[in-house]
Amino acid sequence: MRVVDLIIKKKQGQTLSREELHFLISGYVSGEIPDYQISSLLMAICFQGLNDQEQSDLTMEMLESGDRIDLSSIKGICVDKHSTGGVGDKTTLVIAPLVASCGLKMAKMSGRGLGHTGGTLDKLEAIPGFTIDLTSEKFFNQVDEISLAVAGQTANIAPADKKLYALRDVTGTVEAVGLIASSIMSKKLASGASHILLDVKVGDGAFMKDLKSAQNLARAMVSIGNLQGRKTIAMLTDMDQPLGSAVGNALEVIEAIETLKGRGPKDFETLCLEISSELLLMTGLEKSKDSALKRVKEAIKNGEALNKFKQMISYQNGDTAVLSDYSLFPTAKSIIEVKNKTSGYVKKVHALAIGNAAMILGAGRATKDDTIDQAVGIKVLAKVGDYLEAGDVLATVHANDKNIEEALHQVEKAFEIVSEKVEANKLILDIIN
Ligand code: URA
């Protein structure tokens, strides 16, 4: 087999076999095949696509390049939930303790943020003392004892994906459905959960800007998961404006705690309840959507979900006093209000602009070696459909010394105000199972 022949084959729109994909992926991971040939192949895939079989084969090749987590020793049903990434997306912080308090097991390996999207690990590290570095043994014991752990990778998961993703990032080949689907699913399958719920974000702040491409991605991932014997469903949810109000690490953890106390922003709370109830339903823990919703609402109301979060913080060495005293979180030096100039309805809150503003304040990374400022971020106080008078506050910018003027400018530009009435965004756009 010659790499160049396989590149030409894909360029001509033909199908690559499992054997050919194995040759390409294993050769790339071992260093025998150079970046420039794989870059060319990736570009051919971007133009010609991958069929269902190729997507599934590529996923398995990437999965088999590393370790698989075996969760069979954990008693109970292990679930995983994955978001394709968005702005203000702190759902794991609520959903993980919520479903764990309802009887499911969540052994979750999360990632860090890159670019305008945040990562769960960075958010959790805003809690003083909290560690995301657990040994495999501690990770498993914790899930056994309290049903819940959210940590960094404890094993070498899908190294082929890591190498390929870094190459895709710099060769303009991230946005191909087959490549994204196999990248995400190789890691989800390796993580060992029997039930996987995918939150596929759609809109300005997401990878997938329109519903049709998000549906294609969701179908591809659901098909890969189910083919591999994992019950997989995808919910397509709005990312045309930031989720909830808070964007930025400490601010987002505070908002998640408020939501666990039943006082979260409506859109964020609704999404957490919808995803959590869907998890109870798909695992058979509840028999109907109504009873599942009732169960998760009850776990918020009676404090079980908050208590589960407290247990996790305590097991992972964090200071549980933050739950009642938010001043223990890192706080920014200045809080600057961004005000509305003309009265009217909010037509858009550009998620990408808000995410970028938070990133340049220091909440996110432009490169993977950047350090993060846990305190800074944005609170979005007006959402699509709201009516505002001139002078009302659209957002607050929580800043230390970095890039304040530029961030304020981006936040101002993120809001579009119009005189005619605007409907609120639909939160859940589709469910694929
Ligand atoms: N997230 C991933 O893990 N992989 C992709 O390709 C895109 C988003």
Side-chain angles (χ1 to χ4, degrees), residues 383-409:
K383 307 283 291 208
V384 173
D386 289 353
Y387 177 80
L388 298 174
E389 296 292 350
D392 283 349
V393 181
L394 294 168
T396 51
V397 171
H398 298 238
N400 281 325
D401 301 319
K402 207 168 147 188
N403 298 329
I404 301 180
E405 286 309 315
E406 174 59 15
L408 282 171
H409 181 63

Side-chain angles (χ1 to χ4, degrees), residues 79-147:
V79 295
D80 199 355
K81 165 250 149 216
H82 178 84
S83 157
T84 56
V87 178
D89 186 353
K90 71 265 330 159
T91 48
T92 295
L93 303 179
V94 173
I95 293 167
L98 179 50
V99 299
S101 75
C102 293
L104 295 174
K105 304 272 171 165
M106 177 78 83
K108 186 146 181 59
M109 284 179 202
S110 281
R112 295 200 178 274
L114 187 62
H116 72 278
T117 64
T120 303
L121 298 183
D122 297 318
K123 293 171 201 187
L124 282 169
E125 282 180 339
I127 300 170
F130 194 96
T131 178
I132 52 100
D133 291 320
L134 301 182
T135 60
S136 296
E137 194 189 352
K138 188 151 192 278
F139 183 74
F140 278 99
N141 286 345
Q142 185 176 321
V143 178
D144 238 355
E145 286 168 27
I146 64 164
S147 304

Side-chain angles (χ1 to χ4, degrees), residues 201-218:
K201 297 287 181 203
V202 190
D204 164 59
F207 272 119
M208 296 292 136
K209 308 287 179 210
D210 61 272
L211 186 58
K212 197 157 175 288
S213 37
Q215 284 166 328
N216 286 340
L217 175 64

Side-chain angles (χ1 to χ4, degrees), residues 82-84 161 165 168 174 176 179-185 187 207:
H82 178 84
S83 157
T84 56
D161 174 63
Y165 192 85
R168 287 166 57 209
V174 168
L179 295 176
I180 299 179
S182 51
S183 164
I184 292 176
M185 290 311 289
K187 291 172 287 203
F207 272 119

